[in-house]
Amino acid sequence: MSDPVNPSVDEPDYPPELARLPPGRHGLPREFVARNQYERLIAGLAEAVAENGYAGTTIAHITRHAAVSRRTFYEHFNSKDECFVAAYDTVMAELRERVDQAFNQEEEWPQASRAGIAAMLEFLTAEPHLARLSMVEALVAGPVVVERYDAAIQGLVPYFEAGRKGRSAEVLAGLSPSTEEALVGGMVSLISRRIFADRTEELESLLPDLVEFALTPYLGSAEAAAVARNG
Amino acid sequence: MADIVKRAGIARNTFYENFGSKEDCFLAAQQFAMSAALSQVVDAAGEIDEWPYRVEAGLAAFLRYVAEEPALARTCMVDALAAAPTSVRYYEESLQAFVSLFKLGRDVSPHGKDLPATLEEALIGGVFWILYQRLLDEESESIGGLLPELVEFALTPYLGAEAARAVAMEGDDAAAWGARA
């Protein structure tokens, strides 16, 4: 029933949601198996897309990487697009949770922002396939995903809006309504262009630049640079 | 492919007489749009000596182009990144033209030497993102109104918020926009 099992040699270390169950008989409850198949399909899609690009990925690629049958695929999804949307949502939820956790662990906003940015870079570096899926392939995966991509990026705006709290009237006067949108867009552009160019390993070295960029409008250059360098 | 020939009102054969593939056609559209936008930016910026006003003039010209040609602008600001590798390369090259205009600000900035190496890329990415969001909302007619905030955003890291704001608010921006449009 299942396709020839061919797990890749250097299997990526996916977050728990994307972890897979070894294929074959295991006597596990049906619901658990179904849930696990779903997760395997999502992880399979991420691998297939990393290998072939979104346009070049077929359902056969996905089922082969997930080591499930075509029928199983159609029990969960009606199309490749639908599977991609599910994968995208899973990756973004995971990314968002990590950013949120890191951000909330810090008392002060500048340090919280730094921690949030660091968490994002760390996740994307550790998961180059998922980084590519969420930042590159999402743009070509059809209008539904593009809309979610835009919403996900705009969803980062409140982390920076929090930086307005407690600033002097002068500083606030210098912040236009679109400041945060521009900051987030600029940071995402730096990050995604590294991923496009297959230079994901450079991402973590962007941390000080991104932090200084994001904090300057609120703290001024000198203070932003200090937080960027020393945390 | 069918969508392209239908919208262009041409035969499929005609398409292939002009372009080898959909990717070639995309790259041509991207190059057409980017070189038109860039030449307007360079013309506008080249007339001005003082750097902050030069950036303002360049941005004004770019916004004007985006407002006039929203579909083409979208092609070179966003869709290019999701297109074939040749398009991504061209995107990167054209970005460098904006980078060099912004980089001149390091000479007039009191802390020009200490600014992060990627600052200009991030600023341009931010400007593109704002414009893209307005295009998505089909608000191309309101794009001109973004000039002061984008100028302020672009100048702040070099000059500080106060000086950046002063430049952005100085002229009657609506009039400047109208006069050049």
Side-chain angles (χ1 to χ4, degrees):
Chain A
M1 215 191 60
S2 69
D3 288 337
V5 180
N6 184 18
S8 52
V9 187
D10 51 343
E11 202 163 295
D13 184 17
Y14 284 112
E17 292 91 315
L18 302 180
R20 48 176 68 191
L21 196 68
R25 294 185 160 276
H26 30 56
L28 291 161
R30 199 184 160 82
E31 229 170 82
F32 183 82
V33 173
R35 182 74 211 150
N36 201 267
Q37 283 169 337
Y38 178 87
E39 284 158 3
R40 263 161 57 185
L41 281 164
I42 285 178
L45 174 123
E47 286 174 21
V49 164
E51 212 173 273
N52 311 293
Y54 181 72
T57 293
T58 62
I59 289 172
H61 290 138
I62 302 171
T63 54
R64 189 166 68 236
H65 279 284
V68 301
S69 69
R70 201 176 175 83
R71 208 180 76 188
T72 303
F73 179 92
Y74 283 108
E75 277 165 18
H76 293 276
F77 305 109
N78 287 315
S79 64
K80 174 176 92 166
D81 291 11
E82 218 180 279
C83 183
F84 190 94
V85 171
Y88 182 77
D89 287 348
T90 309
V91 175
M92 291 318 276
E94 175 73 23
L95 177 61
R96 188 59 192 263
E97 200 185 306
R98 293 191 186 204
V99 168
D100 220 59
Q101 216 169 41
F103 186 89
N104 288 321
Q105 259 166 20
E106 294 286 342
E107 295 274 314
E108 302 293 328
W109 175 78
Q111 281 72 25
S113 302
R114 188 181 198 276
I117 296 170
M120 179 160 177
L121 295 177
E122 196 187 315
F123 176 77
L124 296 172
T125 308
E127 305 290 354
H129 288 174
L130 304 185
R132 211 175 163 86
L133 182 144
S134 56
M135 301 296 227
V136 180
E137 301 296 340
L139 290 170
V140 283
V144 176
V145 178
V146 171
E147 207 172 286
R148 277 171 149 83
Y149 171 89
D150 291 334
I153 292 175
Q154 297 289 47
L156 299 171
V157 161
Y159 293 108
F160 298 100
E161 271 170 353
R164 292 182 182 237
K165 212 183 263 173
R167 299 295 146 218
S168 69
E170 278 163 287
V171 170
L172 291 176
L175 296 170
S176 71
S178 60
T179 301
E180 286 79 13
E181 238 182 298
L183 290 175
V184 166
M187 290 191 278
V188 168
S189 140
L190 269 196
I191 293 171
S192 7
R193 288 175 40 243
R194 300 298 178 288
I195 302 173
F196 277 111
D198 277 324
R199 282 152 50 200
T200 309
E201 72 286 350
E202 284 174 26
L203 289 179
E204 283 189 295
S205 67
L206 287 178
L207 180 65
D209 284 21
L210 290 173
V211 173
E212 186 174 339
F213 176 69
L215 302 186
T216 295
Y218 307 89
L219 308 180
S221 265
E223 206 184 325
V227 177
R229 277 193 302 269
N230 311 314
Chain B
M1 182 66 79
D3 293 338
I4 301 174
V5 292
K6 197 171 139 204
R7 291 235 180 181
I10 57 164
R12 215 178 167 82
N13 274 350
T14 312
F15 180 92
Y16 283 110
E17 280 161 21
N18 287 281
F19 304 105
S21 63
K22 191 174 82 179
E23 287 70 25
D24 282 357
C25 180
F26 183 91
L27 182 65
Q30 181 194 355
Q31 287 175 335
F32 173 80
M34 201 39 123
S35 58
L38 272 178
S39 78
Q40 292 181 22
V41 168
V42 168
D43 285 353
E47 285 174 19
I48 317 260
D49 284 333
E50 263 185 282
W51 178 78
Y53 300 97
R54 218 168 157 180
V55 168
E56 186 179 39
L59 274 173
F62 190 66
L63 298 195
R64 221 155 42 236
Y65 183 82
V66 174
E68 280 163 16
E69 297 289 355
L72 281 170
R74 203 200 129 108
T75 302
C76 51
M77 285 192 299
V78 185
D79 300 339
L81 272 175
T86 44
S87 274
V88 179
R89 251 195 320 275
Y90 185 76
Y91 175 93
E92 291 291 332
E93 283 164 20
S94 39
L95 206 89
Q96 291 312 313
F98 289 99
V99 165
S100 42
L101 171 63
F102 280 53
K103 255 199 176 137
L104 297 170
R106 292 178 182 240
D107 299 336
V108 300
S109 166
H111 44 260
K113 285 195 301 291
D114 305 322
L115 291 168
T118 57
L119 173 64
E120 286 77 14
E121 290 175 56
L123 288 173
I124 295 155
V127 169
F128 279 19
W129 179 254
I130 295 278
L131 294 175
Y132 165 64
Q133 289 301 316
R134 297 302 177 279
L135 289 178
L136 278 185
D137 298 339
E138 296 185 358
E139 289 174 7
S140 58
E141 68 291 336
S142 72
I143 277 175
L146 290 171
L147 184 62
E149 48 196 282
L150 292 181
V151 167
E152 194 180 319
F153 171 70
L155 299 183
T156 294
Y158 303 92
L159 308 179
E162 209 176 313
R165 188 171 172 74
V167 174
M169 295 302 158
E170 216 167 75
D172 182 339
D173 291 295
W177 168 260
R180 288 179 201 140

